[in-house]
Amino acid sequence: MRELGRRAFLSTTALAAAGCTPPKATTADPVFVLVHGANGNAGSFAPVVAELTLAGHRALAVDLPGHGPRGHFPVSYQTPQDLAAFAAEPSPLAGITLADTIAHVTAVVRRAAALGPVVLVGHSLGGATITGVANQVPGLVARLVYLSAFCCVRLRSVLDCFLAPEAAGSLLPAIPGIGDPQASGVARTNWRSADPAFLAAAKAALAADYADSTFRAALNAMEPDESWALTTGDARGDPATWGRVPRTYLRCTRDRAIPLALQDRMIREADEATPRNRFDVRDLDAPHLGPEDPRELAELLAG
């Protein structure tokens, strides 16, 4: 954060010294709206938002319901942890549905669309939400961008995607969870675990080849609970509405959470549903959390 602030200060100072001012956005310029995945929050995209902003673009990241400032961090999850109490802790996220996240992001998109064309970006589980937004308000979304994200067309739900044969290689099931999500209503994970086996499983699934320091920073920004209902809700895109919106799929080629085979199946089924509006597919040499350097993703989005 300190380095980011230093870079922003130096960029502004250099422009001022040269007698220049940063380019001003107009209503013709895009507004990037970024939607995080499971266990994330708006902070997940903070480095990318910073890079987009420093390049003269407008960007904002959304906290989905029950995340960010409204995230659930029970005392038992803090240090020292009480894992028995943590496992039994009720969660306010248990009642959150896919319809809730869609309504929340749709409200943001309505406001952002008054500023310029909205480029709606969803990562991982966030793909189910941005599909739902495009079902609701296709005229307010200039482009959908799926960052190694779920895009359901024939497969009804995110859970159905995980049950598909193309998901057999996913390493997500190897990350230990706490409790029974069907009983508690949430998928709960102890991201603050110091267990070497847990850390190895999480890194392999989410951030292989990241520096250990970068990986630990990512874990510390993650939230313990995610609503189970988000994985079981009907997440299918409607060809008559969602299918009209131009879309891009960013394939993370080293993703071990959503394997390439599953990404490619979702891309193929979407293209078959709307043959006149096919995915613009771009490859990122990155694991599930995306490129370690946020500038790489920011430059791809801006381009």
Side-chain angles (χ1 to χ4, degrees):
M1 202 66 174
R2 182 179 302 164
E3 176 61 20
L4 178 59
R6 176 176 173 274
R7 284 164 55 194
F9 172 76
L10 290 176
S11 297
T12 304
T13 303
L15 286 168
C20 302
T21 57
K24 293 183 178 180
T26 71
T27 53
D29 295 323
V31 181
F32 295 93
V33 178
L34 299 98
V35 179
H36 62 80
N39 304 103
N41 51 48
S44 308
F45 279 121
V48 177
V49 169
E51 292 295 340
L52 286 168
T53 303
L54 289 172
H57 302 286
R58 294 172 297 188
L60 63 99
V62 181
D63 281 312
L64 292 177
H67 294 270
R70 295 177 177 81
H72 181 56
F73 297 92
V75 173
S76 56
Y77 182 62
Q78 311 304 322
T79 304
Q81 291 188 313
D82 183 342
L83 294 183
F86 179 45
E89 176 80 25
S91 177
L93 277 72
I96 294 174
T97 66
L98 188 56
D100 294 327
T101 65
I102 292 169
H104 182 77
V105 177
T106 298
V108 174
V109 166
R110 289 186 186 279
R111 297 176 64 186
L115 305 175
V118 172
V119 177
L120 184 58
V121 183
H123 174 236
S124 191
L125 184 58
T129 294
I130 69 169
T131 295
V133 174
N135 280 340
Q136 299 282 336
V137 289
L140 298 184
V141 181
R143 179 168 291 272
L144 294 164
V145 180
Y146 292 81
L147 172 59
S148 202
F150 290 99
C151 179
C152 300
V153 179
R154 290 184 182 170
L155 295 166
R156 178 184 177 278
S157 68
V158 170
L159 181 59
D160 288 338
C161 291
F162 271 122
L163 296 176
E166 291 82 0
S170 174
L171 297 183
L172 281 180
I175 301 176
I178 294 180
D180 178 1
Q182 296 188 53
S184 66
V186 295
R188 175 166 287 168
T189 309
N190 181 18
W191 300 110
R192 292 178 177 167
S193 172
D195 178 12
F198 172 88
L199 294 172
K203 186 174 183 183
L206 302 173
D209 298 333
Y210 269 32
D212 286 342
S213 58
T214 309
F215 168 64
R216 288 194 297 269
L219 283 192
N220 276 291
M222 297 181 78
E223 303 189 2
D225 288 355
E226 190 57 77
S227 172
W228 182 248
L230 297 184
T231 69
T232 60
D234 190 339
R236 289 174 293 185
D238 182 350
T241 50
W242 158 86
R244 301 187 345 233
V245 182
R247 57 181 185 259
T248 296
Y249 201 101
L250 303 182
R251 295 167 78 246
C252 288
T253 59
R254 290 187 284 114
D255 195 336
R256 301 300 303 277
I258 304 179
L260 269 179
L262 180 56
Q263 295 180 54
D264 289 341
R265 174 175 175 173
M266 293 187 291
I267 292 168
R268 183 178 67 253
E269 291 181 350
D271 288 349
E272 289 171 352
T274 58
R276 296 185 179 181
N277 181 29
R278 300 169 65 85
F279 264 117
D280 166 36
V281 180
R282 310 291 181 93
D283 283 354
L284 278 169
D285 182 24
H288 186 65
L289 294 185
E292 189 169 1
D293 184 348
R295 289 173 294 186
E296 185 178 349
L297 178 56
E299 289 169 3
L300 187 56
L301 291 174

